[in-house]
Amino acid sequence: MITISVALVAVLFLMGALAGTLGALLGLGGGIFLVPFLVLVLHVPMHLAVGTSLTTVIATSTVVSAGRLGRQLVNLRLGMLLEVATTLGGLTGGVVAATIPPHVLQRVFGVVAGISALMMFRRLDRRNVILDPSADPGRLGGRYHEDESGGEVTYRVKRIPVGMGVSFVAGSISSLLGVGGGIIKVPALNGWCGVPLRAAAATSAFMIGVTATTGAIIYYGRGDIVPWMSASTVLGVLLGSRLGMAVSEKARAKPLKLLLAIVLCFVCVLMFVRAR
Amino acid sequence: MSTPAVERLEHLLGIVLHAGAVASTTLLAVGLLLLMVAPSHPWASWATTAGLLILIATPVTRVVTSVAQYAVERDWLFVTLTAMVLVVLLGSLLVARG
């Protein structure tokens, strides 16, 4: 059991802030950096690190989506449909996590986060846009106003079963590893299901909150979420991601993203090697 | 897709998420400060735990709101889908208690 101290609260807050900033700069959540920080630097047990991280995922999703709703960027109908799969995955992952020894879970984290980092290097910005504004987006498609082009963007959603399958996997990984799972959903929704990158990212960020909640409820029940630890990191991550988003909006710094992806790879290798 | 129904739902969910975010972060911050300066204060751990529970309850409330709003619109397919999410959430509560 870790006992509370002012120093530890400060360290957790700063780690949350750093993870939130780095995550937002890469367009990811804070979890992918937070879990390694907690495990490698503070030697927090893996399951406690995952539980703590899940609460920061909920907080980020809630705050980000609260600011975004009302602009039709979040595809609510698609989100509500895919949530059936992500939450089922989250429940499954939460049940399975208890049966996996911490060092194995840590290795799995290393591998999954490593794959995510590699995907960062080759993220394709495919546009799936129907330019005719009178086009029918269908039952699940969407339409939103794009600030850059000043026009309406319309899209249809394809390959729903694929989207459901990927969402289930993303949900399981969320509960197993304490991440949001956007790194898996966003490229899949964008590349395979025809959802424009922006709408895919906004819809994914919206879904991540309820997905992480299925995991968080289970981890809380097992005592793997400690209120004061979550409070410190949640407040840090919220501050950090706000900072990161402000920076990334101003500078579209490709070299910085490349550097961070390399840092992420390094962290993943450490997570794998240091697993005991 | 910018129908009045969609706009109303977005508006409602925005309110739920915003209220949850403000309430939980305020309680977490107050609780954490109290835990550091006056750990024996009866509100210290109460506020921290309440903040955490509100944080976890916010997405659940968001799903409940969606079920209710789709029911008002008589959109039964989406009532079913959002109710399924609610059932999964209840499932994780059962796992946590069991």
Side-chain angles (χ1 to χ4, degrees):
Chain A
M1 194 71 216
I2 302 163
T3 41
I4 186 169
S5 72
V6 176
L8 205 45
V9 167
V11 169
L12 284 171
F13 180 83
L14 288 175
M15 271 187 183
L18 185 62
T21 311
L22 295 180
L25 281 175
L26 273 180
L28 304 170
I32 206 141
F33 286 103
L34 183 62
V35 174
F37 286 173
L38 292 178
V39 171
L40 297 174
V41 184
L42 285 186
H43 304 292
V44 171
M46 184 62 184
H47 287 85
L48 185 54
V50 170
T52 308
S53 184
L54 281 173
T55 59
T56 71
V57 173
I58 301 173
T60 314
S61 167
T62 302
V63 168
V64 168
S65 299
R68 264 191 200 139
L69 283 170
R71 286 193 273 160
Q72 270 87 49
L73 195 55
V74 177
N75 186 331
L76 283 183
R77 295 176 85 82
L78 180 64
M80 305 267 182
L81 170 66
L82 295 181
E83 269 171 18
V84 177
T86 62
T87 51
L88 261 177
L91 177 59
T92 311
V95 172
V96 171
T99 67
I100 302 180
H103 69 278
V104 176
L105 205 54
Q106 209 176 315
R107 290 224 167 97
V108 175
F109 187 100
V111 171
V112 171
I115 295 169
S116 313
L118 291 179
M119 281 171 79
M120 291 300 306
F121 288 117
R122 39 160 306 195
R123 214 180 224 191
L124 294 169
D125 190 348
R126 273 164 63 178
R127 292 175 67 88
N128 310 283
V129 172
I130 307 165
L131 286 168
D132 176 12
S134 64
D136 175 22
R139 200 162 156 70
L140 282 174
R143 179 175 290 168
Y144 65 90
H145 184 82
E146 193 179 59
D147 293 332
E148 287 85 20
S149 62
E152 292 268 301
V153 172
T154 307
Y155 60 94
R156 291 181 79 100
V157 182
K158 302 175 288 187
R159 304 194 189 98
I160 300 290
V162 176
M164 292 292 274
V166 170
S167 297
F168 180 84
V169 173
S172 324
I173 285 175
S174 169
S175 283
L176 276 176
L177 306 180
V179 297
I183 189 78
I184 299 163
K185 267 181 295 169
V186 176
L189 286 178
N190 181 231
W192 295 335
C193 303
V195 183
L197 196 62
R198 281 210 162 173
T203 307
S204 171
F206 175 77
M207 288 190 276
I208 276 168
V210 75
T211 310
T213 300
T214 55
I217 290 173
I218 295 173
Y219 279 79
Y220 186 77
R222 295 207 185 107
D224 280 329
I225 291 178
V226 177
W228 70 266
M229 284 181 71
S230 279
S232 318
T233 42
V234 159
L235 295 172
V237 165
L238 287 179
L239 181 80
S241 49
R242 184 156 291 194
L243 218 87
M245 278 194 282
V247 172
S248 69
E249 264 171 33
K250 277 186 183 157
R252 211 170 273 280
K254 238 191 173 163
L256 181 65
K257 282 196 172 185
L258 202 67
L259 178 72
L260 287 179
I262 294 168
V263 170
L264 187 55
C265 285
F266 182 68
V267 168
C268 300
V269 172
L270 270 186
M271 275 296 267
F272 194 88
V273 175
R274 287 277 184 85
R276 284 174 296 249
Chain B
M1 285 286 282
S2 179
T3 58
V6 173
E7 276 174 22
R8 200 170 313 122
L9 182 60
E10 280 211 24
H11 180 68
L12 271 176
L13 298 186
I15 291 173
V16 170
L17 294 184
H18 195 74
V22 171
S24 61
T25 48
T26 307
L27 282 168
L28 287 177
V30 170
L32 200 56
L33 278 177
L34 280 176
L35 279 177
M36 286 191 290
V37 298
S40 54
H41 197 286
W43 284 11
S45 64
W46 180 87
T48 317
T49 307
L52 179 66
L53 293 181
I54 290 175
L55 181 73
I56 296 175
T58 301
V60 183
T61 314
R62 193 267 284 168
V63 176
V64 172
T65 312
S66 313
V67 179
Q69 182 59 24
Y70 282 127
V72 168
E73 290 161 20
R74 297 173 183 282
D75 189 340
W76 303 120
L77 173 63
F78 276 84
V79 170
T80 313
L81 289 175
T82 43
M84 279 165 79
V85 174
L86 205 55
V87 169
V88 177
L89 286 167
L90 287 175
S92 56
L93 201 62
L94 286 179
V95 171
R97 293 192 56 187

